Amino acid sequence: MHQCNVAYGFSVADLLLTTKEFQSVIIGRMRQNIMIAKKYKVEIILASFASDPLLMRNLKDVWCLVE
């Protein structure tokens, strides 16, 4: 992905719309994918993709997942 200038994207709205039990699984998978993307210097994109304004989150809150 790094050689072809392709970014890896995450949808935050999918995380908010799932059940509490499945959220922990999604967060674990997201963090694992973020670690791999950082290792290989792949650009990471976090996007809301929210269809409802109540599902939108602050940018700083979303980037806490990456750091």
Side-chain angles (χ1 to χ4, degrees):
M1 293 176 80
H2 176 70
Q3 293 173 349
C4 297
N5 293 325
V6 175
Y8 190 75
F10 293 101
S11 173
V12 179
D14 291 341
L15 181 64
L16 297 172
L17 292 174
T18 60
T19 61
K20 297 290 182 191
E21 296 83 23
F22 196 57
Q23 280 181 352
S24 61
V25 173
I26 292 175
I27 289 174
R29 290 177 183 171
M30 286 174 77
R31 293 196 53 94
Q32 185 176 20
N33 289 338
I34 288 169
M35 286 189 332
I36 293 170
K38 283 184 176 181
K39 178 180 178 181
Y40 292 105
K41 298 179 178 117
V42 174
E43 186 179 350
I44 300 169
I45 297 174
L46 291 174
S48 174
F49 297 116
S51 58
D52 184 16
L54 295 175
L55 293 175
M56 300 201 59
R57 296 294 183 253
N58 188 357
L59 180 63
K60 291 181 182 178
D61 295 337
V62 174
W63 276 107
C64 287
L65 293 171
V66 178
E67 297 174 349

